[in-house]
Amino acid sequence: MSKIILITGASRGIGRGIAEELAKNKENIIIANYNKSEKEAMELKENLKENVEIYKADITKKVEVDNMINYIINTYGKIDILINNAGISEFKMFTDITEDDWNKMIATNLTGAFFTTKSVIENMIHNKSGCIINISSIWGMVGGSCEVHYSASKAGLIGMSKALAKELGPSNIRVNVIAPGYIDTEMNNECSDETIEEVKEETPLRKIGKPDDISKCVKWLIEDEFTTGQVISPNGGWIIV
Ligand code: NAP
């Protein structure tokens, strides 16, 4: 049966990889959200055509999120799967993080997921069916030096997901977290070749990840029916907890 899937931040990187993977099933209808990267979003639409729609919305703005979700529900009658992927990162010493840096990080990585989830949840509860996947990070699990605000936002997402899984399980809504390790996307553009080699050296599987490594995990979590409240971390063994 046709599944209606919203992926936030699907213009680039991991979100785009997830959209490409899920669009292979032609019964799926993917709403690929983007904010600034209009050109990349249009390319995605052009490549995947009929079962992908793109929708511009800044997830930090409640009204834009509500408009997007209302559009999807009015058009398709439901949302089956929500993938909260949109996010930002910043590498800064804690002493240099300003109040604005902190607020922007939390607004994007945590409050954005709160807005989308609040907006879809009534429909999912009504349908007694739903799957929410939140993209956190290994730094949300173990903390990253010089990424305190990022780590806090991603740890918050894990706490939110675990609590929601308990509350929404009786409504047949599953909530899980994927906490990737180092994935080769624009988010890591500033990492030097030397840093990448160091990461590979510290990683038991001796490689960094690709968006594809995350989309495979998403596909599995969508198909599975007995996993909720869990944190799955595709990271090559870089972090083992
Ligand atoms: P990326 O290449 O920088 O892409 C980030 C995506 O988020 C873009 O599509 C961007 O859309 C979107 N986005 C940012 N702010 C937004 C906003 N206010 N409203 C809507 N969309 C917004 O990063 P990525 O590596 O694919 O990361 C995707 C997710 O995985 C993030 O949550 C990140 O924290 C997490 N993650 C990444 C890594 C990694 O190593 N790459 C590791 C662990 C976790 P526009 O460009 O259209 O604004």
Side-chain angles (χ1 to χ4, degrees):
M1 209 173 65
S2 180
K3 292 227 181 300
I4 312 302
I5 304 170
L6 170 61
I7 308 165
T8 65
S11 53
R12 304 184 277 117
I14 292 172
R16 187 189 183 102
I18 297 169
E20 288 169 348
E21 177 61 40
L22 299 183
K24 286 179 191 165
N25 178 347
K26 293 296 167 202
E27 289 193 354
N28 286 340
I29 293 171
I30 319 282
I31 294 86
N33 157 254
Y34 70 100
N35 185 29
K36 293 183 183 152
S37 303
E38 181 125 29
K39 186 168 153 277
E40 288 86 344
M42 306 262 279
E43 274 167 20
L44 178 76
K45 167 75 190 148
E46 183 53 33
N47 291 343
L48 299 178
K49 297 214 165 64
E50 67 272 18
N51 61 338
V52 172
E53 272 201 55
I54 54 172
Y55 196 106
K56 178 174 163 60
D58 180 343
I59 57 149
T60 67
K61 302 203 167 109
K62 187 174 184 304
V63 63
E64 294 190 22
V65 170
D66 286 346
N67 287 341
M68 172 168 68
I69 309 282
N70 286 339
Y71 163 77
I72 298 169
I73 292 173
N74 289 338
T75 308
Y76 300 106
K78 60 174 184 167
I79 293 190
D80 297 295
I81 297 157
L82 167 65
I83 301 166
N84 285 310
N85 164 77
I88 55 170
S89 66
E90 187 175 47
F91 198 74
K92 257 188 182 179
M93 299 270 287
F94 181 64
T95 43
D96 293 332
I97 294 174
T98 64
E99 189 179 342
D100 280 351
D101 295 334
W102 177 270
N103 288 339
K104 190 175 171 203
M105 190 64 73
I106 301 294
T108 311
N109 292 359
L110 187 54
T111 313
F114 168 73
F115 287 155
T116 54
T117 307
K118 278 287 272 187
S119 201
V120 302
I121 214 60
E122 209 178 301
N123 183 267
M124 286 186 176
I125 291 172
H126 176 78
N127 294 333
K128 272 206 158 282
S129 173
C131 170
I132 300 173
I133 300 172
N134 292 325
I135 309 296
S136 176
S137 160
I138 49 168
W139 303 137
M141 297 169 73
V142 299
S145 173
C146 298
E147 295 192 77
V148 168
H149 50 348
Y150 182 75
S151 303
S153 69
K154 293 298 187 179
L157 200 52
I158 292 174
M160 175 180 145
S161 308
K162 288 183 175 179
L164 266 177
K166 291 183 179 173
E167 198 171 317
L168 298 175
S171 299
N172 192 32
I173 298 165
R174 291 174 294 114
V175 187
N176 288 292
V177 177
I178 297 178
Y182 189 111
I183 309 295
D184 188 16
T185 68
E186 277 178 48
M187 185 168 271
N188 291 318
N189 265 358
E190 283 173 27
C191 285
S192 65
D193 290 347
E194 203 184 351
T195 304
I196 295 172
E197 282 314 309
E198 276 169 21
V199 173
K200 285 184 185 169
E201 196 58 36
E202 290 168 10
T203 302
L205 292 179
R206 296 286 187 270
K207 59 182 178 182
I208 58 168
K210 305 177 297 312
D212 191 36
D213 294 308
I214 307 306
S215 45
K216 282 183 197 147
C217 200
V218 167
K219 190 163 172 271
W220 180 80
L221 275 176
I222 289 174
E223 284 164 8
D224 179 82
E225 289 178 352
F226 197 49
T227 302
T228 197
Q230 304 305 311
V231 181
I232 297 169
S233 184
N235 66 46
W238 194 23
I239 300 294
I240 299 178
V241 290

